[in-house]
Amino acid sequence: MLHLQNLTITLGQRLIAQVDTTVHGGEVLTIMGPSGSGKSTLLAAITGTLDPAFAQQGRIILDGQDITALPTEARRIGILFQDDLLFPHLSVGQNLAFGLPKGGNRKERHKTIETALRDVGLQGFANRDPATLSGGQKARVALMRMLLSQPKALLLDEAFSGLDADLREQIRALVFTRARVQNLPVVMVTHDPADAEAAAGPVIHIG
Amino acid sequence: MTLLAWVPRLTLAAMLLPVAAGLWGVFAPLFGFITLNGASAAPMADVLAWPGLPRAAWLSVVTGVGSTLIALGLVILILSQLHGSRALMWLRRALSPLLSVPHASAAFGLAFMIAPSGWIARAVSPWLTGWDRPPDLLILNDPAGIALTLGLAVKEMPFLLLIALAALAQTDAIRSLAVARSLGHSGAGAWLKVVLPRLYGQIRLPVYVVLAYAMTAVDMALILGPTTPSTLSVQILRWMSDPDLTLRLQGAAGAVIQLALVIAALAAWFLAEKLVGKLGLLWITSGTRSPWLPALRPLAIAAAATSAIAVLGGLASLAVWSFAARWQFPDALPEALTTRTLDRFLPQLGAPLAETALIATTTTLIALILCIGCLEAGYRKRKPLEGRVMWLVYLPLLIPQIAFLPGLQVLLISGGLTMGRWVVILSHLVFVIPYIFLSLSDPWQAWNTRHATVAHALGASPTRVLFAIRLPMLLAPILTAAAVGFAVSVGQYLPTLLAGGGRIATLTTEAVALASGGDRRAIGVYGIALTLAALLPFALALALPRILYANRRGTHP
C-alpha cells in the first residue's frame, strides 16, 4: 500500500502538484494532465530524484514505512520510463542480473533470470545485445529487470507512449497483470485516456 | 564531508596552486622578499637595461597577435564560406588528429617544408626556379619572426576550428541561416551576420588562450623563431637555464614583463572586439545582402588545403628524413630508403620514451580521477556547471607558462628543494587537468541520467551506479579524454625543462634540443617518435571500446 500523505511540491511560490491519496496493492492510480503540468515532477518526488530547486512537503509511506527521507536506492520503488533505458554495455541477462538482489550462487541466479525471460516469451535471450531487440522485447526486458529487484510499488512515467498501438495494448496488459499478481500499488502518469481506461482505477487530473 | 566532496577543491588546488606559487616566485624577488646569494638586488633594472628588450618584447607581441589574427581569420573565412559543405567535413576529419601533434613536431615539420632546402623548394627546383643548390635565403629563424608567426597560425588554426565546430553544434545556426538566406542574404554573408556574433561569444576564451600561448611559446620559437634577439620568452628561458644561478632572478623579472605584455595584449584584444562588434553591427543593419561574398569561396578552400598540407606534409617529411639514405638538393625524394638512422637512434630513444610514458601516464591518471570526481560531485549535488567554473578551468591556460614556471623554480631553489620528476608531474597536471575536464564535461553532462534513476530504483547505491553503469557507458569519451591528457603531457616542453631542473629528459625536451644542431635525420626520428607518442593513445582510445564492446551496438554512437 502506497500512501501519499498531503504530498505538495512547490517551485518558489508556485504550486506544482498536490496529492493526498492511498494506492492499494494491485490498484493503478492514474495521474493525467497536459505536458508541463508537473506529473513527472510528482513521480520524481516519489522516487526521490526531485531537483533541489523544488520544495517538497508531506510524507510518502510505503507498506507502513515512512520513506520520505530515504535515498532512491533504499525506497524499493520500481520505475519504467518511456525509453526502455536498458544499459547498453550489458547483455540482456546482465541487465536482469543488475536488478536481481544479492544472494544465491551463480547457477541459481542464472536460473532465476532464465525463468524471468521465459515468463515474457524471451527464453534464450540472456546473451543478446539489447541494441538488437525490438521495441516490444526491450520493454519486456525493462519490466522484468524492474520486477526482479522485488519492488514494493511501481511507477509508470509515460511508460507506453513510445510503443505503437498494438504493442502498447499488449505491454500495458502485461504490466498491469504482473502488478496485480504481485499485489503492487501502481502510480501511472500518462496523457493518453486509453491508458487510464485500461487501468480501471482512480484518476487524478492535475495542472 | 565525504571524500568526494573534497575532490573539486583538490582539483582546483592542483590547477591553481602551482600557478599562484609561481607568480609569487616571480614577483617576490622584485620586492626583495626572495634573494639568492650573489644575485643582483635589482633584477628588474638589469632586465630593463638589457639592450635587446624592446626588440624581444616587440617580437613577442607581433608574432603572438599576428598568428592569432591569422588563425582566427582563417577559421572565420573557412566556416563562413564552407559551412555545411563536404569540404568542411573532410577538413574536420583531416585536422582532428593534428590537434594532438606536439608543437615541437609540427614546428620541425613546417621547418622541413619551408626551409631553403625544404620540400617546397625541392618540389619547384630546378625546373621552375633554376636552383641547383638551396637558395641563400633566411627563411627559418628570420629576424622578423614570419616563420614563427606562420608556424603558430598553422598549429592553432585546427584548435580554433574544432572548438568552433563544437560550439556551432550547440547554437541554432542552421535555422538562423535559413531565415537570413530567405531574407535575401548570401550564404557567407548570412553566416557572418547571424552566426558569427553568437559563435564568437562561445569561443572567446579559447581565442584568449591561443593569444596568450602564441605570445609566449618557447618550443616553437626555439625551432622557427628569430635568434638575435629571440622572442622574450626564449630569452627568459636562457636566463633560467644559465649555469650562473644568479641570473634566475633576472629571468623572474623578465617573466613579470612577459606577463604584463600578455595582459596588455589581451586587454587590447578585448577592446578591439568591442570596436569590431560596433562596426559589424553597422554592417549587419546596413541592409546590404553581400552578394559578392561567396566569390571568396576558392580562397577559403585554398586556405584550408594549405594549412592542412603544411602540417601533414611536414609530418611526412619528418618520416621521410628518418628513413632517407643520400638525399641531395634538389631531389624531391631521397635516392634510397634505409633503416640506418633508425638503427642509430632507436637505442637512445628508449630512456626518454620511458620517461615520457611514465610522466604522461601518471599525470593522466591523476587528472582523470580528479576530473571524474569533480563531475560526479557536481552531479550528486545536482549543480549545473556555471560559467565561472569554466573561467577557472581556463585560467591556467590563460596565464603563460613562461610567466609563472620561472617563479616555481626560484621558489624551489631558494627553499633548497630539488626539482625532479614529481615537480614535473605536478606542473604537467596544471595543463592536463583543464584539457581532460573540457574534453570530458560535455559527454558527462549529455549522459541520460534516467539510467541512474532506473539503476537507483533497482536498489543500486550511487557508487555502484558510477562504477557499474556510468563509467562503463562513458568508456569511449573517458578514453578519449585520457588520450587528450596524455598528448598534452607528452607535448609539454617548458614545464618539463624548468620544473625538472633540466635533468628530466623526455622526447619533447630531447627533440627541441636538436633544433640548433640541424641534423635532419635525428630531428626526423625524434619528431616522428614524439608524434607517435601523442597519437597512438588516440588510436587505442578509438579501438578499445570497439573491442571491449564488440557485441554492444548501443554503446557506439
Side-chain angles (χ1 to χ4, degrees):
Chain A
M1 194 170 80
L2 179 65
H3 190 30
L4 304 176
Q5 207 172 63
N6 250 328
L7 190 61
T8 310
I9 298 154
T10 47
L11 181 64
Q13 296 296 316
R14 202 154 68 87
L15 178 71
I16 302 294
Q18 185 166 33
V19 283
D20 184 28
T21 185
T22 303
V23 191
H24 297 280
E27 187 182 58
V28 181
L29 167 70
T30 305
I31 297 174
M32 296 199 68
S35 46
S37 62
K39 303 184 303 263
S40 293
T41 311
L42 185 63
L43 286 197
I46 302 175
T47 49
T49 53
L50 191 64
D51 191 290
F54 294 95
Q56 174 192 330
Q57 279 170 334
R59 297 199 301 160
I60 306 161
I61 294 166
L62 181 58
D63 289 353
Q65 189 197 359
D66 187 346
I67 60 167
T68 318
L70 290 181
T72 306
E73 62 269 25
R75 293 191 178 201
R76 305 202 52 184
I77 295 181
I79 183 160
L80 291 178
F81 290 105
Q82 175 178 345
D83 315 303
D84 54 85
L85 295 169
L86 296 178
F87 305 128
H89 62 297
L90 304 178
S91 70
V92 167
Q94 287 165 340
N95 262 282
L96 295 183
F98 187 89
L100 192 61
K102 259 190 159 49
N105 57 32
R106 267 186 53 176
K107 218 173 146 190
E108 286 162 8
R109 292 176 69 81
H110 197 75
K111 219 179 132 198
T112 312
I113 288 164
E114 270 306 324
T115 313
L117 284 173
R118 201 172 50 234
D119 279 357
V120 288
L122 293 173
Q123 55 268 54
F125 273 62
N127 287 323
R128 287 280 292 270
D129 176 359
T132 64
L133 268 49
S134 71
Q137 290 168 335
K138 285 181 193 168
R140 279 179 275 166
V141 175
L143 171 67
M144 290 322 283
R145 178 178 67 177
M146 199 257 307
L147 291 178
L148 281 181
S149 74
Q150 297 163 11
K152 292 178 173 173
L154 176 49
L155 304 185
L156 305 172
D157 190 354
E158 303 277 6
F160 313 120
S161 332
L163 305 168
D164 53 40
D166 283 353
L167 202 54
R168 192 177 173 132
E169 233 168 275
Q170 192 192 331
I171 298 290
R172 191 164 57 200
L174 178 68
V175 172
F176 289 163
T177 312
R178 285 272 158 184
R180 209 166 301 134
V181 168
Q182 302 197 9
N183 202 31
L184 296 174
V186 179
V187 179
M188 172 171 69
V189 153
T190 182
H191 62 264
D192 183 357
D195 283 345
E197 211 171 294
V203 179
I204 297 180
H205 288 270
I206 65 172
Chain B
M1 198 176 236
T2 63
L3 185 64
L4 186 66
W6 281 96
V7 172
R9 288 150 212 244
L10 198 62
T11 311
L12 272 185
M15 274 198 308
L16 301 182
L17 272 187
V19 179
L23 288 178
W24 165 250
V26 295
F27 278 102
L30 300 186
F31 306 105
F33 292 122
I34 294 180
T35 50
L36 294 180
N37 270 343
S40 158
M44 186 55 96
D46 296 343
V47 175
L48 290 175
W50 174 52
L53 181 66
R55 179 79 192 159
W58 173 245
L59 279 171
S60 286
V61 173
V62 172
T63 56
V65 175
S67 60
T68 310
L69 276 176
I70 294 174
L72 182 62
L74 283 177
V75 168
I76 292 174
L77 175 69
I78 290 171
L79 285 178
S80 66
Q81 294 291 337
L82 304 180
H83 59 86
S85 71
R86 295 174 75 82
L88 186 60
M89 275 164 55
W90 177 87
L91 188 68
R92 176 185 211 156
R93 246 176 266 150
L95 291 184
S96 299
L98 296 185
L99 209 53
S100 55
V101 172
H103 283 83
S105 300
F108 278 129
L110 189 70
F112 279 17
M113 292 292 282
I114 63 173
S117 60
W119 244 1
I120 294 175
R122 285 167 188 268
V124 295
S125 301
W127 56 274
L128 184 64
T129 58
W131 295 333
D132 52 11
R133 69 184 67 182
D136 190 16
L137 295 171
L138 193 57
I139 296 179
L140 293 180
N141 315 111
D142 61 295
I146 296 171
L148 175 58
T149 306
L150 287 180
L152 287 164
V154 164
K155 181 71 180 87
E156 299 308 335
M157 191 279 276
F159 173 70
L160 285 181
L161 184 69
L162 293 174
I163 294 257
L165 283 170
L168 274 178
Q170 293 169 8
T171 56
D172 196 5
I174 294 171
R175 289 199 298 173
S176 300
L177 279 172
V179 169
R181 297 183 76 156
S182 75
L183 296 173
H185 291 271
S186 66
W191 194 91
L192 290 173
K193 286 169 198 164
V194 302
V195 177
L196 180 60
R198 273 180 289 168
L199 174 68
Y200 189 77
Q202 284 178 285
I203 64 167
R204 171 182 280 128
L205 277 174
V207 169
Y208 291 176
V209 167
V210 167
L211 178 59
Y213 175 82
M215 284 183 70
T216 59
V218 172
D219 41 6
M220 283 199 118
L222 280 169
I223 296 165
L224 295 170
T227 45
T228 45
S230 53
T231 59
L232 183 55
S233 56
V234 171
Q235 183 58 44
I236 297 171
L237 177 64
R238 288 210 190 98
W239 283 324
M240 292 312 293
S241 39
D242 198 283
D244 179 2
L245 277 181
T246 59
L247 285 178
R248 296 291 186 276
L249 294 192
Q250 216 154 307
V256 171
I257 297 177
Q258 180 74 266
L259 183 65
L261 280 177
V262 170
I263 291 173
L266 284 172
W269 189 279
F270 179 78
L271 292 177
E273 277 174 8
K274 300 274 169 239
L275 185 67
V276 171
K278 282 238 158 51
L279 294 176
L281 203 58
L282 288 180
W283 182 55
I284 290 170
T285 51
S286 70
T288 171
R289 264 44 177 171
S290 333
W292 53 272
L293 259 178
L296 293 178
R297 191 178 167 90
L299 191 65
I301 293 179
T306 308
S307 49
I309 289 170
V311 183
L312 285 173
L315 292 177
S317 76
L318 288 177
V320 173
W321 269 109
S322 339
F323 291 100
R326 234 166 83 90
W327 192 1
Q328 281 183 316
F329 192 88
D331 301 344
L333 287 170
E335 284 168 18
L337 295 179
T338 167
T339 58
R340 214 174 48 217
T341 317
L342 228 48
D343 296 338
R344 183 152 61 99
F345 287 107
L346 270 187
Q348 68 193 62
L349 269 178
L353 184 64
E355 185 76 63
T356 305
L358 177 67
I359 291 172
T361 309
T362 314
T363 312
T364 303
L365 276 179
I366 296 173
L368 206 54
I369 291 169
L370 289 176
C371 289
I372 289 176
C374 283
L375 290 166
E376 178 71 7
Y379 162 70
R380 290 198 192 168
K381 286 174 100 180
R382 298 181 203 205
K383 250 165 75 175
L385 282 180
E386 293 154 20
R388 66 196 173 92
V389 175
M390 280 307 175
W391 268 100
L392 283 175
V393 171
Y394 271 104
L395 196 60
L397 306 180
L398 281 171
I399 298 186
Q401 297 188 338
I402 194 71
F404 73 90
L405 285 167
L408 217 51
Q409 206 194 40
V410 166
L411 277 185
L412 289 168
I413 293 177
S414 69
L417 296 167
T418 52
M419 282 138 305
R421 193 178 291 132
W422 65 274
V423 194
V424 173
I425 290 173
L426 283 180
S427 70
H428 281 204
L429 270 180
V430 173
F431 310 103
V432 171
I433 290 173
Y435 281 107
I436 288 192
F437 189 87
L438 291 173
S439 164
L440 197 53
S441 66
D442 278 347
W444 190 274
Q445 315 273 345
W447 186 69
N448 186 350
T449 54
R450 284 182 166 188
H451 279 116
T453 305
V454 165
H456 284 310
L458 294 172
S461 67
T463 308
R464 182 153 180 241
V465 172
L466 175 64
F467 285 100
I469 305 295
R470 193 167 203 169
L471 293 183
M473 279 181 74
L474 292 174
L475 180 68
I478 288 171
L479 288 177
T480 303
V484 170
F486 196 93
V488 168
S489 170
V490 166
Q492 293 299 324
Y493 173 69
L494 201 59
T496 315
L497 198 66
L498 288 186
R503 276 169 302 186
I504 301 291
T506 62
L507 286 175
T508 299
T509 60
E510 295 292 273
V512 176
L514 291 170
S516 51
D519 178 347
R520 297 200 161 185
R521 289 180 176 80
I523 291 174
V525 170
Y526 273 88
I528 286 298
L530 183 57
T531 306
L532 289 180
L535 284 187
L536 283 182
F538 276 96
L540 214 60
L542 282 178
L544 262 182
R546 284 172 199 283
I547 296 166
L548 291 175
Y549 293 149
N551 198 22
R552 297 284 177 266
R553 269 197 304 172
T555 60
H556 310 308

